[in-house]
């Protein structure tokens, strides 16, 4: 004689570190690379290493050609150092077949590199007084020549173009969100505020008191400089939004969430 099996059996209290039921316990923890094999990207690795080396070389040449304090006061130098660091990390990840950096980090690097390039080409390259990050501080009457011209071309044109090509062709699209644009604005606005404050605290006549002419309070006045900062901030934010928009429409854009792993977590359910 057998007794009927109860319709409902009370659950056993869950013990920390142990699956709540037998079905979940039977599902092993499988790493993603066991399902999808890792693939190294040697061509991408070489390209990104070359970009990183170019950024380091450009900054190093500028430091040799000019005063280190003067050179390091420019946003282009800071963004180039960021490019060198980020591209070194992404090159290593491409070679070891690890997950890429977060999309917001690579897009932020793109924003700073391209933003600095646009400021140079739109506001500084055609000025009557030649703009130089390695000059002696006095007005330059002729165009840059020699290594001065080479480093300017490298940092203001070549590297931003290479960073843009890497982002457009070699990174996964569709992962950026609009709220990231506000976060990216922290560094540019902090740099502008620090640069103007530093110039106000330095005595008049100090060499390279204001690294950029449109931030020179002694020449343009505080109100005009504040207006310039506002325009630059709005333009930078607009560029950030444009990058996010392009991220969702460029080729291969993931308009929906990425496909899920077919192996589920042991804490949820069995195989799908």
């Amino acid at each position: 004689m057998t007794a009927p099996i109860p319709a409902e059996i009370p659950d056993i209290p869950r013990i920390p570190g142990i699956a709540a039921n037998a079905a979940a316990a039977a599902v092993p923890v499988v790493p993603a690379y066991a399902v999808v094999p890792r693939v190294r990207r040697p061509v991408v690795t070489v390209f990104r290493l070359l970009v990183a080396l170019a950024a380091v070389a450009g900054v190093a040449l500028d430091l040799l050609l000019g005063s280190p304090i003067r050179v390091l006061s420019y946003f282009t130098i800071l963004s180039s150092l960021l490019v060198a660091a980020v591209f070194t990390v992404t090159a290593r990840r491409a070679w070891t077949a690890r997950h890429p950096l977060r999309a917001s980090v690579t897009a932020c690097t793109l924003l700073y590199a391209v933003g600095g390039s646009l400021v140079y080409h739109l506001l500084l390259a055609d000025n009557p007084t030649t703009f130089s990050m390695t000059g002696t501080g006095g007005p330059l009457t002729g165009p840059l020549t020699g290594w001065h011209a080479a480093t300017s071309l490298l940092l203001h044109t070549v590297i931003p173009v290479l960073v843009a090509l890497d982002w457009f062709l070699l990174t996964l699209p569709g992962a950026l969100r609009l709220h990231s644009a506000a976060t990216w604005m922290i560094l540019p606005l902090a740099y502008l505020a620090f640069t103007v404050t530093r110039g106000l605290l330095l005595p008049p006549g100090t060499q390279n008191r204001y690294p950029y002419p449109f931030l020179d309070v002694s020449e343009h006045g505080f109100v005009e400089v504040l207006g310039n900062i506002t325009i630059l901030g709005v333009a930078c934010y607009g560029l950030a939004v444009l990058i996010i928009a392009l991220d969702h429409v460029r080729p291969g854009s993931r308009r929906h969430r990425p496909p899920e792993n077919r192996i589920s977590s042991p804490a949820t359910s069995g195989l799908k």
Side-chain angles (χ1 to χ4, degrees):
M1 181 176 180
T2 58
I5 300 176
E8 294 183 359
I9 300 178
D11 293 334
I12 300 175
R14 184 174 181 178
I15 303 176
I18 300 179
N21 53 66
V27 180
V29 178
V30 180
Y33 59 81
V35 181
V36 180
R38 293 177 175 178
V39 179
R40 288 183 175 180
R41 305 168 70 190
V43 176
V44 175
T45 300
V46 172
F47 175 78
R48 289 176 175 171
L49 282 178
L50 289 177
V51 175
L53 289 174
V56 171
V59 173
L61 284 173
D62 266 8
L63 291 174
L64 292 175
L65 294 172
S67 168
I69 296 178
R70 174 190 175 96
V71 170
L72 292 174
S73 66
Y74 289 96
F75 187 80
T76 299
I77 299 298
L78 301 180
S79 65
S80 298
L81 291 175
L82 178 63
V83 168
V86 170
F87 272 66
T88 300
V89 174
T90 55
R92 183 176 183 275
R93 286 174 178 256
W95 176 253
T96 57
R98 296 179 59 191
H99 291 293
L101 285 179
R102 295 182 59 181
S104 58
V105 175
T106 55
C108 176
T109 306
L110 170 69
L111 172 66
Y112 297 160
V114 173
S117 175
L118 290 176
V119 168
Y120 172 77
H121 287 287
L122 295 177
L123 301 179
L124 302 171
D126 295 330
N127 267 2
T129 301
T130 303
F131 173 80
S132 173
M133 296 189 298
T134 57
T136 58
L140 300 178
T141 56
L144 297 177
T145 58
W147 288 111
H148 298 273
T151 56
S152 180
L153 177 64
L154 180 63
L155 295 176
H156 291 122
T157 304
V158 176
I159 290 177
V161 169
L162 295 178
V163 172
L165 288 176
D166 178 87
W167 177 80
F168 189 79
L169 299 176
L170 303 178
T171 61
L172 292 175
L176 297 179
R177 298 295 178 264
L178 185 59
H179 62 78
S180 298
T183 305
W184 299 341
M185 295 298 299
I186 295 176
L187 179 60
L189 293 179
Y191 171 81
L192 291 172
F194 170 79
T195 300
V196 173
T197 303
R198 169 182 172 270
L200 292 173
L201 296 177
L202 291 175
T206 302
Q207 181 179 338
N208 198 40
R209 186 181 178 191
Y210 297 97
Y212 295 100
F214 49 77
L215 298 179
D216 194 338
V217 176
S218 60
E219 181 178 351
H220 302 290
F222 187 77
V223 174
E224 184 175 346
V225 169
L226 184 60
N228 293 338
I229 292 177
T230 303
I231 294 173
L232 287 173
V234 172
C236 185
Y237 183 80
L239 180 60
V241 173
L242 177 61
I243 290 174
I244 294 173
L246 290 175
D247 184 60
H248 289 270
V249 299
R250 60 185 172 133
S253 177
R254 296 174 297 177
R255 298 182 182 276
H256 306 286
R257 65 177 182 176
E260 296 180 354
N261 193 337
R262 303 306 295 177
I263 303 300
S264 301
S265 169
T268 56
S269 61
L271 289 174
K272 295 182 181 178

